[in-house]
């Protein structure tokens, strides 16, 4: 990997450093996913399955935080940001949006054989694309996408690429060749560091994704979007799609939420409150 | 025939919507309505997004957006700000700012247009006078050439954005009589800086709606302007005015579509949750049929608005449609849009019952705001009918001649 300080003067991707502590021109890759807008999903009341056809698609929320963080790092330290996504050709719109946000290069990984890939197969496709892209310093993913909520693609990708990973990052700083990251462990924050290249998965708290301006959108529409198919990536059918997945999704249903319609009757507010608390305890909503 | 928006337009719509969700919530709109002031962060935010005077060409500092894209912005802004104060600010600048830029000198462009694009000035339109607004050809304001200068005298009333122009700087597209013998062929358009000596803001009207943007009046006493402030050619002002009205009316159509859509959604959300007679109110046909009707009308309007926007693009780019043909369609947009939005707010308020009548509910702001475009801002409804009938029947049937 590139970021051995001694390679700086010879590597034309990176300018030489005045001060060896400051990193110059990192290459940051952001793999992201375009998902259906889960707010817009309706449920078929007969089958309890979500209706996803015709639902608008968007960049998964936390993936936008990943893109934002990459662009912020580029704005501060220079370098470039490459966005990649595996998906159908409609995902080009999402790539266009990343270009409008400030991404420099966009790649769509698209092939019918990628369909129905699980997190393992997806990570394989992404890893192949990243290898093909060449040198990089940072990979930033969202902690999870809001459709699958598996939180696995980032960690699996780091494993396949054999680089360190820091997950659930809520704050990141770069010092020389080091990444210092604050991890969200729910109960506490943990500060860790790692040498680049490293893969981060970030949480929603890390930043507020920017909204591209009309000018940014217009500029983005003049930038190319590259498409790589399975054969461009040297991927065969056994490793991706249904065949290459370890997990098969059999069915997606929406849990039925039904109201019990319990009415608490009492003379006074105090009695009503007491009755209500009793009912809640009895229903097992709270444990006393 | 392909009715789809471009990818660029879809992304733009999404960006405006997202910005509105963050910066122009109904709570913020209520605050604006109560304080009777548009917050500077909203204006600055619109500038940063590239919305202000977005139709001005790129080489003049705008984004050179076409009219379909401008309609998308108007629609989304009105979906968010149903009081329509922000849409008014946007549409007045995008239409009249475009016309000013099209005919102005480099000096006016540098001093006013470019500033307005950055959200540092307001540019608007001032044609209406105490003698009436509908009959533009009877404007009384005069401009007399004295040496190198034009001396302007007159009064303008019911003018949008006077307080904003005073606070931020800026000025107005005005029209004045330069050759009284020639009737509407003797009128010239000028750019009037609001701080020009002799301009005095006389009042702020106590409007019923769209409180976030002011409506005021001003007098012009011996205001001296150089030739740099003449817009286009002398005695052609009437035609530039019609051009500006057309563009503003188109964007008012898009504003109506957005506001109508939001009113419907507020109504649908509420009536799905309100349980009456043992079932959601929305289950009753008396309610849902009204919704279906309003939705259908709004989709018809939406199609007309975007089709007309496309005609405007063609008018400017290929000349495929002449100005009068385009005006006919634009008048249809202005005739149908505001009354539909008004009707939808009215209906939605009724679906919401007493709650709809309170200020806790946003709907009444919509009713008050859109009324401005029914009573006459940018041209009354009957004026639109006169224009349409003129194009249908021929000029010899114009009723006032
Ligand atoms: C909130 C608000 C903001 C405004 N902002 C601006 C602004 O920024 N700049 C500006 O110049 N003006 C502005 N106006 C004024 C607006 O342009 C005028 O209200 C409009 O032109 C109508 O003029 P009027 O109000 O004098 O009504 P009148 O011209 O007196 O007309 C009264 C009514 O009669 C109808 N009518 C007129 N002629 C005929 C006819 N021949 N046959 C049948 N019916 C007819 C009209 O449609 C109208 O309904 C604004 C108005 C409002 C309410």
């Amino acid at each position: 990997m590139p970021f051995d300080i001694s390679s700086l003067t010879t590597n034309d991707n990176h300018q030489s450093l005045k001060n060896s502590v400051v990193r110059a021109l990192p290459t940051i890759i952001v793999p992201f996913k375009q998902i259906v807008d889960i707010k817009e999903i309706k449920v078929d009341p007969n089958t309890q399955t979500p209706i996803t056809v015709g639902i608008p698609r968007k960049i998964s929320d936390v993936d936008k935080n990943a893109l934002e963080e990459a662009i912020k790092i580029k704005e501060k330290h220079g370098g470039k940001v490459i966005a990649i996504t595996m998906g159908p050709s409609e995902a080009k719109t999402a790539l266009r949006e990343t270009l409008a946000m400030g991404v420099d290069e966009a790649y769509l990984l698209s092939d019918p054989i990628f369909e129905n890939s699980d997190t393992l197969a997806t990570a394989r496709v992404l890893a192949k694309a990243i290898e093909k892209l060449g040198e990089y310093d940072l990979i930033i993913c969202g902690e999870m996408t809001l459709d699958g909520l598996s939180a696995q693609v980032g960690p699996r990708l780091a494993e396949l690429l054999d680089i360190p990973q820091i997950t659930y990052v809520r704050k990141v700083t770069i010092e020389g060749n080091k990444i210092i990251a604050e991890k969200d462990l729910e109960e506490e924050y943990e500060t860790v560091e790692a040498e680049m290249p490293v893969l981060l998965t970030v949480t929603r708290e890390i930043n507020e994704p920017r909204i591209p301006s009309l000018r940014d959108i217009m500029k983005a529409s003049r930038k190319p979007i590259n498409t790589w198919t399975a054969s461009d990536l040297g991927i065969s059918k056994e490793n991706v799609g249904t065949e290459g997945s370890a997990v098969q999704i059999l069915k997606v249903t929406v849990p039925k939420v039904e109201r019990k319609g319990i009415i608490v009757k009492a003379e006074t507010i105090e009695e009503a409150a007491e009755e209500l608390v009793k009912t809640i305890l009895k229903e097992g909503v709270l444990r006393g | 025939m392909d009715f789809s928006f471009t990818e660029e337009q879809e992304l733009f719509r999404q960006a405006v919507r997202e910005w509105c969700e963050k910066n122009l919530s109904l709570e913020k709109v209520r605050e604006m309505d109560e304080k009777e002031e548009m917050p500077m962060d909203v204006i600055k935010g619109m500038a940063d997004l590239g919305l202000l005077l977005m139709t001005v060409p790129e080489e003049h500092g705008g984004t050179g957006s076409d009219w379909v894209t401008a309609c998308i912005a108007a629609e989304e802004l009105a979906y968010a700000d149903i009081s329509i104060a922000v849409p008014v600010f946007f549409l007045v600048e995008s239409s009249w700012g475009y016309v000013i830029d099209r005919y102005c000198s480099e000096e006016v462009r540098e001093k006013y247009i470019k500033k307005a694009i950055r959200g540092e000035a307001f540019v608007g339109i001032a044609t209406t006078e105490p003698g009436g607004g509908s009959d533009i050809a009877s404007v009384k304001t005069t401009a007399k050439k004295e040496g190198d200068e034009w001396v302007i005298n007159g009064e303008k009333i019911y003018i949008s954005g006077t307080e904003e122009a005073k606070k931020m700087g800026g000025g107005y597209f005005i029209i004045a009589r330069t050759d009284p013998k020639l009737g509407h062929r003797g009128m010239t358009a000028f750019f009037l800086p609001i701080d020009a000596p002799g301009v005095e803001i006389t009042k702020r009207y106590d409007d019923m709606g769209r409180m976030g943007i002011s409506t005021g009046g001003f007098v012009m006493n011996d205001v001296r302007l150089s030739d740099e402030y003449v817009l286009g050619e002398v005695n052609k002002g009437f035609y530039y005015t019609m051009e500006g009205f057309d563009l503003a009316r188109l964007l008012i159509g898009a504003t109506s579509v957005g506001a109508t859509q939001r009113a419907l959604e507020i109504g649908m959300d509420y009536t799905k949750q309100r349980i009456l007679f043992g079932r959601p109110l929305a289950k009753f046909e008396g309610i849902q049929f009204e919704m279906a009707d309003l939705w259908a009308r709004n989709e018809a309007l939406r199609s007309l608005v975007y089709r007309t926007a496309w005609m405007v693009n063609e008018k400017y780019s290929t000349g495929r449609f002449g100005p009068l043909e385009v005006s006919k369609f634009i008048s249809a947009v202005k005739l149908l849009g505001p009354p539909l939005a008004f009707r939808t707010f009215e209906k939605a308020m009724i679906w919401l019952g007493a709650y709809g009548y309170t200020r806790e509910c946003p709907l009444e702001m919509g009713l008050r705001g859109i009324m401005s475009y029914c009573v006459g801002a940018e041209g009354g409804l009957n004026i639109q009918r006169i224009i349409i009938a003129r194009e249908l029947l021929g000029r010899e049937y114009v009723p006032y001649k």
Side-chain angles (χ1 to χ4, degrees):
Chain A
M1 281 306 131
F3 252 79
D4 170 348
I5 299 278
S6 63
S7 72
L8 280 179
T9 45
T10 52
N11 186 334
D12 31 297
N13 262 343
H14 305 96
Q15 72 187 23
S16 62
L17 301 172
K18 282 195 216 108
N19 171 345
S20 67
V21 186
V22 181
R23 266 298 261 103
L25 307 186
T27 294
I28 310 168
I29 299 174
V30 183
F32 74 94
K33 187 175 178 189
Q34 187 197 39
I35 62 169
V36 291
D37 189 345
I38 47 177
K39 279 202 310 267
E40 304 282 332
I41 293 182
K42 294 194 174 68
V43 179
D44 182 332
N46 298 316
T47 60
Q48 281 299 111
T49 52
I51 304 166
T52 52
V53 278
I55 302 288
R57 303 175 74 86
K58 61 175 213 168
I59 298 174
S60 180
D61 296 40
V62 196
D63 286 357
K64 260 202 182 169
N65 297 95
L67 288 157
E68 175 67 29
E69 201 57 28
I71 294 161
K72 273 168 88 170
I73 292 172
K74 176 187 83 170
E75 284 168 350
K76 190 158 172 206
H77 298 272
K80 66 175 176 184
V81 179
I82 304 172
I84 61 175
T85 188
M86 186 185 90
S89 67
E90 295 89 82
K92 275 190 184 166
T93 307
L95 283 165
R96 187 78 64 203
E97 188 180 346
T98 70
L99 290 169
M101 283 177 78
V103 161
D104 302 280
E105 293 172 22
Y107 290 84
L108 173 67
L109 317 175
S110 196
D111 199 293
I113 71 166
F114 296 164
E115 256 174 65
N116 299 320
S117 289
D118 71 351
T119 54
L120 171 64
T122 303
R124 280 190 190 127
V125 175
L126 296 174
K128 280 286 189 188
I130 290 170
E131 275 167 16
K132 191 173 159 90
L133 285 169
E135 295 169 345
Y136 62 89
D137 306 292
L138 253 184
I139 298 173
I140 309 183
C141 303
E143 56 166 323
M144 60 177 86
T145 55
L146 296 188
D147 53 351
L149 302 176
S150 77
Q152 289 199 24
V153 171
R156 283 185 186 277
L157 182 57
E159 284 302 306
L160 290 174
L161 295 169
D162 198 20
I163 57 169
Q165 57 179 285
I166 310 174
T167 50
Y168 304 108
V169 172
R170 62 188 294 277
K171 198 172 159 198
V172 60
T173 35
I174 298 184
E175 271 179 25
N177 197 26
K178 260 187 347 214
I179 282 284
I180 301 164
E182 198 172 289
K183 274 170 69 82
D184 187 343
L185 299 179
E186 292 196 355
E187 302 285 301
E188 59 202 89
Y189 300 133
E190 185 181 60
T191 305
V192 296
E193 58 172 64
E195 292 255 312
M196 292 197 274
V198 57
L199 181 143
L200 311 177
T201 76
V202 301
T203 67
R204 223 184 250 278
E205 291 72 49
I206 195 162
N207 55 41
E208 174 90 15
R210 71 195 60 195
I211 299 171
S213 74
L214 180 51
R215 265 185 201 85
D216 297 331
I217 293 169
M218 287 164 59
K219 259 192 246 147
S221 67
R222 296 192 273 264
K223 287 189 197 167
I225 289 175
N226 311 286
T227 304
W228 282 347
T229 61
S231 69
D232 293 327
L233 297 172
I235 294 175
S236 55
K237 213 161 166 254
E238 315 83 72
N239 295 318
V240 292
T242 314
E243 228 177 290
S245 291
V247 175
Q248 311 294 338
I249 295 175
L250 303 179
K251 206 161 125 192
V252 180
T253 55
V254 180
K256 246 197 166 107
V257 185
E258 277 176 351
R259 293 178 197 281
K260 291 200 169 169
I262 300 169
I263 297 172
V264 175
K265 291 201 181 94
E267 295 288 313
T268 65
I269 291 178
E270 287 76 13
E271 277 171 41
E274 190 152 320
E275 215 30 57
L276 184 62
V277 171
K278 270 193 210 151
T279 313
I280 291 172
L281 288 175
K282 200 168 98 202
E283 289 296 320
V285 182
L286 288 178
R287 261 170 280 269
Chain B
M1 204 186 257
D2 180 354
F3 278 101
S4 51
F5 293 107
T6 64
E7 185 181 56
E8 210 172 278
Q9 286 163 341
E10 294 285 10
L11 285 176
F12 174 64
R13 183 188 289 279
Q14 190 186 317
V16 180
R17 183 165 283 217
E18 223 176 283
W19 181 82
C20 288
E21 277 166 8
K22 287 196 180 124
N23 301 286
L24 211 49
S25 64
L26 286 171
E27 292 73 37
K28 180 117 179 198
V29 173
R30 174 59 76 190
E31 199 182 306
M32 220 163 39
D33 184 69
E34 282 170 357
K35 288 194 179 149
E36 304 191 0
E37 194 177 14
M38 190 166 307
M40 274 316 288
D41 65 279
V42 169
I43 296 172
K44 203 74 199 106
M46 285 199 285
D48 290 344
L49 262 187
L51 297 189
L52 297 183
L53 291 90
M54 62 190 277
T55 47
V56 166
E58 278 186 279
E59 56 279 20
H60 295 171
T63 55
S65 291
D66 67 9
W67 293 91
V68 169
T69 311
C71 281
I72 291 173
E75 187 190 334
E76 289 301 325
L77 290 172
Y79 178 85
D81 174 8
I82 58 173
S83 87
I84 71 159
V86 173
V88 169
F89 190 97
F90 164 78
L91 81 86
V92 166
E93 291 206 316
S94 290
S95 52
W96 293 100
Y98 173 81
V99 174
I100 294 167
D101 176 75
R102 194 166 152 86
Y103 299 106
C104 75
S105 63
E106 208 39 53
E107 180 176 335
V108 169
R109 185 170 296 126
E110 281 302 322
K111 276 191 174 159
Y112 300 98
I113 295 294
K114 290 192 174 169
K115 271 194 179 166
I117 290 171
R118 295 194 299 267
E120 293 162 7
F122 175 80
V123 295
I125 163 70
T127 54
T128 307
E129 298 189 349
S134 301
D135 187 4
I136 304 283
S138 75
V139 154
K140 303 235 166 13
T141 296
T142 56
K144 290 202 181 88
K145 191 90 192 240
E146 281 182 16
D148 287 346
E149 286 178 331
W150 294 90
V151 181
I152 301 179
N153 282 288
E155 181 175 6
K156 302 287 178 186
I157 63 170
Y158 303 124
I159 304 306
S160 301
T162 43
E163 295 298 315
E164 289 73 10
K166 189 164 80 179
K167 184 166 120 191
M168 302 165 67
Y172 286 92
F173 175 110
I174 63 156
I175 175 156
R177 208 160 274 291
T178 33
D179 193 338
K181 295 188 299 294
L182 294 177
H184 73 279
R185 291 198 184 84
M187 298 166 81
T188 300
F190 293 85
F191 183 80
L192 176 84
I194 197 70
D195 58 0
V199 178
E200 195 192 323
I201 295 180
T202 46
K203 71 182 283 184
R204 175 175 183 162
Y205 293 92
D206 192 6
D207 286 325
M208 90 181 243
R210 47 141 111 163
M211 310 310 288
I213 183 164
S214 62
T215 313
F218 57 81
V219 289
M220 296 160 284
N221 289 320
D222 288 332
V223 177
R224 292 176 174 272
L225 295 178
S226 71
D227 276 334
E228 300 291 309
Y229 288 78
V230 174
L231 297 173
E233 287 175 43
V234 171
N235 289 344
K236 290 270 171 66
F238 183 81
Y239 303 101
Y240 308 145
T241 310
M242 293 305 129
E243 186 178 353
F245 273 135
D246 266 357
L247 299 172
R249 287 168 188 167
L250 172 69
L251 297 177
I252 290 166
T255 301
S256 306
V257 170
T260 302
Q261 177 72 30
R262 189 62 177 275
L264 260 178
E265 285 179 20
I266 293 171
M268 292 194 293
D269 285 348
Y270 183 89
T271 53
K272 277 194 208 163
Q273 288 176 36
R274 179 75 162 170
I275 309 290
L276 291 172
F277 304 98
R279 65 199 58 182
L281 185 54
K283 265 184 95 91
F284 290 96
E285 286 173 346
I287 304 285
Q288 55 178 242
F289 282 14
E290 285 184 341
M291 284 171 183
D293 278 347
L294 292 165
W295 177 85
R297 289 199 165 91
N298 201 35
E299 288 309 309
L301 175 66
R302 192 194 303 275
S303 298
L304 183 64
V305 165
Y306 285 104
R307 182 261 175 98
T308 307
W310 166 77
M311 288 176 82
V312 175
N313 289 346
E314 290 292 312
K315 172 182 122 173
Y316 283 119
S317 60
T318 64
R320 180 190 323 205
F321 302 106
L324 294 176
E325 177 69 0
V326 174
S327 291
K328 177 169 73 176
F329 278 84
I330 284 179
S331 285
V333 162
K334 171 90 204 285
L335 177 63
L336 298 176
L340 175 64
F342 183 84
R343 180 95 175 127
T344 310
F345 281 111
E346 178 202 340
K347 285 289 175 195
M349 282 172 69
I350 293 172
W351 302 331
L352 268 63
Y355 173 58
Y357 189 63
T358 66
R359 281 179 206 268
E360 279 162 42
C361 171
L363 289 171
E364 58 84 37
M365 292 190 289
L367 193 90
R368 287 189 277 120
I370 203 69
M371 192 56 178
S372 64
Y373 286 132
C374 298
V375 301
E378 308 279 4
L381 301 180
N382 283 345
I383 299 307
Q384 311 316 313
R385 293 184 173 100
I386 289 174
I387 292 170
I388 295 169
R390 179 192 74 202
E391 294 310 308
L392 292 177
L393 300 168
R395 235 155 236 283
E396 61 274 33
Y397 289 91
V398 168
Y400 50 80
K401 278 190 180 153

